[in-house]
Amino acid sequence: HHEIVNAPAYVALSCRGAVAPPGIGVRAVGIQRAERVEKAAFEQLRHLAALFIGKAVVEVVRLGCEFGQMRPRRNPKGRELHVLYLGRVEPVKGLDRLLDQLNGMKNVQLRIAGPSIGGYDAVLRERGDAEFIGEIHGEAKESAFDWADVLVLPSYSENFGSVIVEALSRGVPVIASKGTPWQEVEDVGCGWWTDDFRSAIEMARSANLMEMGGRGYEWVKTYFTWDASARCLSEFYQRVGQRDAHGQK
């Protein structure tokens, strides 16, 4: 439900995915102009723009995320490829299609870490071969990243996916579905943005995962820290203040 509201000329909203149907939570149809909207998701900008009926100027401020420690890694030649999923175990996360695609693949070990929602892990256990280790934190989480050669996020829909930053900050390359907003990992050269997880895993076998992880680490260290996010917001608010001071709209 939306309400027509009166608003100032400049509005900042922190939506963090709430603008994606069916979870729209923004009551802002009457806003005349949103100069900057603070949100994490790139894909969902179109939903937000639709709410403002073309009157909004929408930009993105990247979220700061939890960082780990970059550690030396070895390429998995001569052994199984270790593939890690870390997150909630529920239908929207796309684990069903991941397991379907991995069926019959040799020398691949999939480890699924995270809380099962509504007992969904029982459904997945009958679908394919994977190790379910439940919800993990602290040292157990660090051990999972140390074990992983690559992290996979196969979600059908994802507003951000902070686990991608968590993995890259530890030097772990990633495979992210096209339901996530992480197409930049291919431009940076630290992962694959695809729904063909089987092909991506095959490519990971022969890729220099250590170099890929290093590129990912440098990228997220530059753009996904809380300091970088705060600096971006501060610069924006200064520009808005200067525009107001000069009577600009």
Side-chain angles (χ1 to χ4, degrees):
H1 301 285
H2 306 133
E3 296 176 357
I4 305 300
V5 297
N6 293 320
Y10 302 101
V11 178
L13 303 174
S14 290
C15 303
R16 297 197 61 182
V19 295
I24 294 174
V26 180
R27 300 182 178 186
V29 172
I31 289 179
Q32 297 177 353
R33 182 177 186 182
E35 181 69 20
R36 177 126 186 159
V37 176
E38 306 161 23
K39 67 185 305 298
F42 311 136
E43 161 65 19
Q44 294 178 39
L45 290 177
R46 61 189 178 88
H47 297 308
L48 188 61
L51 280 179
F52 290 112
I53 320 177
K55 297 179 181 179
V57 177
V58 181
E59 299 182 38
V60 172
V61 176
R62 300 177 189 269
L63 280 178
C65 291
E66 173 195 346
F67 265 58
Q69 182 179 358
M70 177 72 171
R71 302 183 185 182
R73 313 195 71 83
R74 291 183 300 173
N75 286 317
K77 294 182 179 179
R79 64 164 172 81
E80 290 182 323
L81 186 75
H82 294 170
V83 180
L84 174 67
Y85 168 83
L86 179 59
R88 295 189 306 277
V89 179
E90 59 182 342
V92 72
K93 296 301 184 178
L95 291 165
D96 54 343
R97 60 177 177 173
L98 174 64
L99 286 167
D100 287 347
Q101 291 188 36
L102 293 188
N103 272 338
M105 288 193 76
K106 296 181 179 180
N107 297 319
V108 175
Q109 185 175 354
L110 173 63
R111 183 171 289 179
I112 296 175
S116 177
I117 308 302
Y120 188 57
D121 64 313
V123 176
L124 296 175
R125 289 174 191 272
E126 297 180 358
R127 194 137 190 170
D129 186 21
E131 179 186 3
F132 292 80
I133 62 174
E135 188 170 4
I136 55 175
H137 302 282
E139 285 301 317
K141 185 175 180 180
E142 294 304 323
S143 295
F145 279 122
D146 286 345
W147 172 88
D149 296 311
V150 64
L151 177 127
V152 61
L153 185 61
S155 305
Y156 289 108
S157 176
E158 194 75 51
N159 70 312
F160 183 65
S162 59
V163 70
I164 295 293
V165 179
E166 291 185 51
L168 293 175
S169 74
R170 293 163 171 83
V172 181
V174 297
I175 300 171
S177 74
K178 291 195 172 182
T180 75
W182 289 101
Q183 55 266 48
E184 287 178 281
V185 299
E186 292 198 337
D187 298 331
V188 174
C190 59
W192 294 266
W193 187 62
T194 180
D195 290 333
D196 188 350
F197 310 120
R198 189 183 185 97
S199 293
I201 288 171
E202 289 290 358
M203 286 186 282
R205 292 183 191 275
S206 57
N208 190 324
L209 298 180
M210 187 164 57
E211 286 187 2
M212 293 180 69
R215 287 192 290 268
Y217 172 78
E218 293 298 329
W219 178 49
V220 297
K221 185 177 71 172
T222 301
Y223 294 106
F224 290 91
T225 65
W226 286 114
D227 285 345
S229 179
R231 184 168 55 251
C232 182
L233 284 174
S234 177
E235 291 171 356
F236 162 69
Y237 290 133
Q238 289 177 20
R239 291 196 301 271
V240 169
Q242 291 169 359
R243 290 165 66 97
D244 283 344
H246 292 87
Q248 296 177 327
K249 296 183 178 181

